[in-house]
Structure formats: structure tokens, C-alpha cells
Amino acid sequence: GRGRCVVAGGSGSPSLLSSCEKIDIATLSNATDFGDISAARSFFDGCSSSTRGVVGGGGEPSAVATIEYFTMSSEGGANDFGDLTFARRYLASANSSTRGLFLNAYAPKTNSIEFVTIATTGNATDFGDSTAARQADSGTSSPTRAVVPGGEGLAGNSHNPNANSSSPFAENIIDFVTIATLGDAKDFGDRTVSGWGVGATGNSTRGLFFGANPSKSDVIDFVTIASKGNATDFGNLLAGDGYSNGGSSKTRALMTGGSTPNVTNVIQFVTIVTTGNAVDFGDLNAARARGAAFSDSNGGLIQ
């Protein structure tokens, strides 16, 4: 019964969304209704185990500390889980089979990382710090390691030596942490493009990163999660975008919605083990960007 991706909330056209949709990753088709989060919001992210999805933070439009969870096999909406250690939005997330991470944030930009135990409920706990305070909008993971690409850094403190004058805070750094331990992130390497609003997903061996603001990049690049090093070109999206969300199975990665700059309802996919350009998968019920996505068969889970 596994192989489900859920896309939650986000910025619609023209209003914020509370609705959630589910996608059968193995079958090319349109998304169908899944339920609702407790309030319409955007700029949050989600992680998951094989049975439960967890979303945290976001804006309504002010930042919130809310954590909610879903039962992946049901069609119902979200339930209260607890709270983050502080309100944050524009954050990234990643997971193992047991632990979910929430990383970084905007306004103020922070390098804080915190975690929850997915099978329980309760408030998040401090994990450590990223290598740089920044807005980072997505992460992905193997069962042991989480990787977080790009972001928008602090004014006058960009960690990207190749940043240009039109986007001086656009980062290309990639961080990683070992999920089972507590501690600070370490440098993994660099993306092939710089920016924030990056989407991420992958399987247990390969992490994929796609899109970026402010350039509305169409680049998909990838890393081998068990190693360290710079990302390698994978292919291209159907169109350049930012703030799209990703979900995956062992074999297939989905890229959902985003801003091109118009908010879109397009779902596209690639086969993770290969390289190549994204292909049309189907459509979301609602055009959405800056929301959360998670799956019950992502790379952080023991398959």
C-alpha cells in the first residue's frame, strides 16, 4: 500500500490554501483530495515515516510554530502534534524512518535545527545548527543522512563566492547532518545553481534538487547522499520555477506545483536512477506553490 505522496497547503491563486491532495507515485494521473490542514498557510515543509506525515511551521501569513500530522493511509485531515521551539517559516525538512528534522528559517534567518520523533506526539527538541543562517526551503535524506541545498543567506554574509550583484544572497551551499545523532551540520558541497525556493526529494542513495529563485531555474541536479561533493547535472524541468515541492518512491521523483512565475498545478517526474529531463505526470486539483510535500516511500525510509 505504500507509494503515496501528499501535497499540503501553500500559496494558491490568489489565496492561501488549507487543502491537501494525494498522488499515487507509481501511476501517471491527476491528484485527488486528501483532507485539510488546520488553517490555510504557506512557507512550511513536511517529513514522513511509512505511516505518518508531519508538517511544521509556515505562515498564516505570520510565522507559526504549529506541528501537525497525517495518517498516510487515510483520507482524513491533519491532527495536532505539538509545537516547534519557535515560530518559523521558509524552513526545510528531512527524515529517517523514526525522526523528522526541521531546519533553518526566514525572518529572522536562523541556522537552528530541531527534531521530532514521528511516531509520537509532542514538541520539537533542539538538534544543532546549520553551517549558515539562511532561508532553506527543502531537504531530502537517506535513512542515515539529511542534505539541505541552497537558500537565501544573510545580508553581507553570503557563503556563495560566485553570487552576482542582482542576487547577492543566493546560496549554492549544501549541508548535511547524521539524523540519528545530535550535532551541527557539515559542508557537503555545492549546487550547480544558486538560489532559494529550491525543491528536493530522492531515494536512499541519490538526492535531487530542482528549481531556484530568483532566476526561476529549470535545472535539476543531484548528489550521492552517502558521499560528499558538488552536485552533478541531472536534466531540466518542463519550465523554470521556484517553490515547487517534491515527493518520491524508491524509483520515481515527483515535482509538484511551483511558481514559474505564475502558480502552477503541474506534476512532473523523473526516474531517479537515470538522468534526463522531467516528464509530465498529471495535474494537482489546485495550483499551488510554497507548500509542503511528503511521501510514505521517500529516500529517508528503510525500504
Side-chain angles (χ1 to χ4, degrees), residues 29-129:
S29 61
N30 296 333
T32 56
D33 183 68
F34 186 78
D36 294 282
I37 52 177
S38 61
R41 66 180 182 273
S42 60
F43 305 117
F44 64 118
D45 206 10
C47 52
S48 51
S49 68
S50 61
T51 58
R52 178 179 278 188
V54 180
V55 296
E60 299 178 342
S62 299
V64 300
T66 304
I67 308 173
E68 300 181 285
Y69 75 93
F70 303 80
T71 301
M72 294 294 295
S73 61
S74 75
E75 311 298 325
N79 306 280
D80 182 63
F81 187 99
D83 292 300
L84 300 170
T85 58
F86 61 94
R88 61 170 89 196
R89 54 182 178 162
Y90 297 89
L91 69 164
S93 68
N95 62 265
S96 65
S97 293
T98 57
R99 180 175 281 184
L101 304 182
F102 297 101
L103 313 93
N104 305 337
Y106 173 79
K109 291 190 176 82
T110 180
N111 62 351
S112 166
I113 308 170
E114 51 191 307
F115 77 96
V116 295
T117 301
I118 298 174
T120 66
T121 57
N123 295 335
T125 303
D126 182 66
F127 183 96
D129 295 310

Side-chain angles (χ1 to χ4, degrees), residues 240-261:
D241 75 9
Y243 294 118
S244 58
N245 296 117
S248 59
S249 66
K250 291 186 291 185
T251 57
R252 179 175 283 179
L254 302 185
M255 299 83 169
T256 67
S259 171
T260 66

